């Protein structure tokens, strides 16, 4: 679903949307009343004329109305501030036993780590957040470099990711579906290509996804995939990327253990197919100028084998 704060799919987003509609309705009423009074006064002035040296009865009446209007404005602004405060408080309430996920912002991608009491239960992925419908998910967020902002409008408001500091946000999805999000804080050249997708799944589907992600990477099956793995292991890829169950243990770039199961690559810059992956690997700066991933000097055959191997990692 395209991101829209007007179509809430979760408790928190619904509260924010509700507050937004209250603000809009109050503002509209105030606007109509103010413009209405202005028109009435202007028409009256035109009809009766005015003497600038004395206050007419109508003008004295107008001054009293201004006093009343200031009083009403104070009451309205106070009510709106209180409703905003109450909404914010309910948004930050921790509910039950949430699923805990750590999110780390990078220029320009999202590192996603599912927390677990045991090291074996931790899932690492990137740019895609899978969550079970109906269960609160607590995101513990920080940044590796500059300030980013996590924003999936259908599910929650924005929250900054700040280097050296952890911020929290809780979200719940009421309906299964894919919800798109976007980094909402200018974080450099490729800020616009820093998308995130939240896939809200039925609890059984989520458990199946999590189990699949916990498995080590699939071994290459075909000759071409074997060649691709060789290219990966013997080249510079391993300095930045990890593939669980293989010697590759780099931590600078996204974990690639199940990269083939993701819907897009380069934080939503391209759909995930062997062709786009080969295009990306051959020259990342052409697609995301400023990215830290360098172009790989590979022969056409090596490049294709590498892309097919990575796509096989479902
Ligand atoms: Cu990250 Cu904008």
């Amino acid at each position: 679903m395209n991101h829209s704060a007007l179509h809430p799919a979760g408790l928190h987003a619904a509260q924010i949307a509700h507050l937004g509609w209250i603000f809009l309705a109050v503002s509209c009423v105030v606007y109509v009343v103010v413009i209405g009074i202005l028109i009435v006064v202007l028409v009256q002035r035109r009809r009766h004329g005015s003497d600038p040296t004395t206050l007419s009865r109508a003008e004295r009446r107008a001054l009293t109305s201004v006093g009343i209007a200031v009083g009403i404005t104070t009451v309205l602004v106070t009510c709106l501030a209180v409703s905003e405060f109450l909404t914010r408080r309910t948004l930050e309430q921790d509910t039950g036993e949430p699923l805990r996920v750590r999110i780390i912002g990078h220029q320009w991608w999202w590192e996603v780590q599912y927390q677990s009491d045991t090291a074996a239960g931790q899932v690492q992925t990137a740019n895609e957040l899978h969550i079970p419908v109906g269960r609160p998910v607590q995101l513990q967020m920080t940044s590796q470099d500059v300030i980013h902002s996590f924003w999936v409008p259908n599910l929650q408001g924005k929250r900054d990711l700040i280097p050296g500091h952890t911020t929290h946000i809780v979200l719940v999805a009421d309906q299964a579906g894919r919800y798109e999000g976007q980094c909402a804080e200018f974080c450099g050249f490729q800020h616009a290509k820093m998308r995130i997708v939240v896939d809200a799944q039925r609890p059984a589907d989520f458990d199946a996804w999590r189990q699949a992600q916990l498995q080590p990477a699939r071994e290459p099956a075909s000759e071409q995939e074997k060649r691709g793995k060789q290219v990966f292991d013997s080249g510079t890829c391993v300095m930045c990327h990890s593939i669980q169950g293989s010697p590759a243990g780099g931590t600078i770039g996204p974990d690639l253990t199940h990269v083939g199961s993701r819907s897009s690559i380069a934080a939503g810059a391209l759909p995930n197919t062997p062709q786009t992956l080969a295009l990306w690997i051959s020259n990342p700066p052409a697609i995301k100028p400023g990215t830290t991933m360098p172009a790989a000097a590979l022969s056409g055959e090596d490049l294709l084998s590498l892309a097919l191997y990575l796509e096989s990692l479902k």
Side-chain angles (χ1 to χ4, degrees), residues 105-110 145-149 182-188 190-192 194:
H106 296 261
Q107 282 174 315
W108 292 275
W109 60 282
W110 309 89
D145 35 51
V146 299
I147 298 177
H148 303 273
S149 180
Q182 169 69 46
C183 178
E185 178 90 33
F186 181 71
C187 55
Q190 295 300 321
H191 156 70
M194 188 167 169

Side-chain angles (χ1 to χ4, degrees), residues 126-206:
N127 307 320
E128 264 188 34
L129 184 62
H130 289 247
I131 62 171
V133 168
R135 183 169 171 197
V137 181
Q138 189 200 51
L139 305 181
Q140 307 164 346
M141 306 195 287
T142 188
S143 169
Q144 190 71 29
D145 35 51
V146 299
I147 298 177
H148 303 273
S149 180
F150 181 93
W151 190 32
V152 182
N154 298 82
L155 297 176
Q156 244 298 12
K158 298 172 188 172
R159 187 56 46 94
D160 280 359
L161 287 74
I162 301 164
H165 177 75
T166 302
T167 50
H168 297 89
I169 202 171
V170 176
L171 49 86
V172 189
D174 294 336
Q175 306 151 28
R178 285 171 72 81
Y179 305 105
E180 290 181 15
Q182 169 69 46
C183 178
E185 178 90 33
F186 181 71
C187 55
F189 208 12
Q190 295 300 321
H191 156 70
K193 287 183 181 165
M194 188 167 169
R195 303 181 80 176
I196 184 146
V197 170
V198 177
D199 197 342
Q201 299 174 294
R202 290 179 308 145
D205 294 340
F206 171 76

Side-chain angles (χ1 to χ4, degrees), residues 37-47:
I37 292 175
L38 181 69
I39 291 170
V40 169
V41 170
L42 287 177
V43 168
Q44 277 181 354
R45 281 196 140 204
R46 227 176 149 184
R47 210 175 281 160

